[in-house]
Amino acid sequence: MSSEIDVPSGQVAAGGGADAAGTRADTGGDAPARTSDRGAATRSALLAAARDVFCEAGFAQAAVTDIVAKAGASVGSLYHHFNGKADLYLTLFEEFQVRQQERTREAVSRAREAGETDPMRLFIAGAGAYLDGCLAERDVARLFISGDGPPGFDRVMRQRLNKWARRNAALFHTADGGVDEALVVVLTGAMAGAVSEISLSDDEAASRALAADVMAIVSTIHNPRTRHR
């Protein structure tokens, strides 16, 4: 995915002997930072606009011209920062996943700091935080689960959820120190179903109740081949 191209620090001030008099050094030194700040602001505006347009119209019907108009930018600036509409969509997805991973990490860390050591309870803490993120950002969660994305995105979505479940299933170590594949499959399937139902529901209260019920059921899962702690 494309990202902002930062202007190297000191690039403008690197030329000529004018710096020796000190008359251009300050201006030149500030210019790259201002350029980088403007680029970051434009990139953020484009992502915010793309999020709104995608959530309102869907990926397939969204037009690049609508995105740049909403962002107050130009088509050229969009293609400076991104490869196109699909790149915007995938960048939004990756940023959402980073936020979800941070929510999960913080929840598991809090549980550990509170003295929790049971692997399933730690997993439930992280999974609950993930579902809370879907509720907190229902618009983008619904966008990504709706099936209206770039070609092949459904595979990307499955891979990321599998990666998330595999990382958290590492809480459950097998006797040889590995990860129980059957447990990964079960947890991934449970989370995929919960994410889908919660993201697509219009009733927030019902979604929160469903999330709690799903986590309660998941907490009863016990694989006899996995060493219980």
Side-chain angles (χ1 to χ4, degrees):
M1 291 175 202
S2 172
S3 60
E4 180 193 354
I5 301 174
D6 291 326
V7 179
S9 178
Q11 183 178 39
V12 177
D19 291 342
T23 58
R24 293 173 54 194
D26 290 342
T27 301
D30 289 343
R34 288 198 299 268
T35 301
S36 181
D37 288 345
R38 285 196 298 271
T42 298
R43 183 178 185 277
S44 295
L46 286 165
L47 283 170
R51 173 175 174 155
D52 290 346
V53 173
F54 288 148
C55 288
E56 180 179 348
F59 174 79
Q61 296 300 317
V64 166
T65 52
D66 291 337
I67 293 172
V68 296
K70 192 173 187 66
S74 66
V75 173
S77 65
L78 186 150
Y79 284 101
H80 173 73
H81 293 286
F82 303 96
N83 292 330
K85 189 169 73 167
D87 193 13
L88 278 164
Y89 186 98
L90 293 172
T91 300
L92 285 169
F93 175 69
E94 289 300 323
E95 291 189 353
F96 175 65
Q97 289 302 314
V98 168
R99 294 191 296 274
Q100 289 289 75
Q101 289 168 15
E102 182 61 15
R103 287 174 174 125
T104 300
R105 186 194 66 77
E106 289 179 353
V108 173
S109 294
R110 286 194 300 269
R112 282 186 168 135
E113 289 170 1
E116 185 59 71
T117 59
D118 180 76
M120 181 56 79
R121 292 189 180 279
L122 291 173
F123 175 81
I124 294 301
Y130 191 99
L131 294 178
D132 282 344
C134 291
L135 289 166
E137 300 190 53
R138 186 192 302 271
D139 55 347
V140 289
R142 177 176 296 182
L143 172 67
F144 299 136
I145 206 70
S146 68
D148 181 12
F153 176 71
D154 55 340
R155 178 174 54 84
V156 173
M157 183 79 171
R158 286 195 304 271
Q159 288 176 340
R160 286 305 297 266
L161 189 57
N162 182 274
K163 181 179 179 181
W164 180 90
R166 183 173 295 277
R167 182 184 297 114
N168 288 279
L171 294 165
F172 306 87
H173 297 293
T174 56
D176 61 1
V179 175
D180 194 297
E181 293 296 330
L183 186 60
V184 170
V185 171
V186 171
L187 295 179
T188 301
M191 285 302 298
V195 168
S196 178
E197 291 299 322
I198 288 168
S199 300
L200 296 177
S201 173
D202 291 321
D203 188 330
E204 181 174 350
S207 293
R208 290 192 178 279
L210 177 62
D213 289 344
V214 169
M215 289 300 94
I217 292 171
V218 170
S219 69
T220 67
I221 295 173
H222 171 63
N223 192 324
R225 297 190 298 111
T226 301
R227 180 166 60 89
H228 181 67
R229 296 181 180 182

